[in-house]
Amino acid sequence: MTTEKLLIPDKEAAAMLSIGRSTFWREVAAGNLPQPVKIGGVTRWRLADLRRCVEQPATAPTTA
């Protein structure tokens, strides 16, 4: 039986996105990446949220 992780730590999340941990945290703080889930003092990200973020097309800034 294979089980898929539901929550991953920042190190795995950054690696999944091919960015460094400091860049990952900066993007989370800027609101460009999903906020973490905190469980008993442990900070993790929902894998589904990160995948959804990657799958969504980037929105280009609009110019007036």
Side-chain angles (χ1 to χ4, degrees):
M1 179 172 142
T2 305
T3 59
E4 183 178 351
K5 291 182 180 180
L6 298 176
L7 301 170
I8 58 174
D10 62 345
K11 185 176 181 179
E12 287 183 41
M16 176 184 139
L17 299 172
S18 299
I19 59 176
R21 285 171 73 186
S22 60
T23 302
F24 176 79
W25 277 102
R26 192 169 34 254
E27 293 299 316
V28 170
N32 297 325
L33 290 174
Q35 292 298 306
V37 175
K38 296 187 180 189
I39 302 171
V42 176
T43 303
R44 297 289 185 265
W45 278 261
R46 288 182 187 95
L47 191 55
D49 290 348
L50 291 169
R51 284 185 177 153
R52 197 173 308 115
C53 182
V54 169
E55 291 169 358
Q56 289 177 350
T59 56
T62 57
T63 57

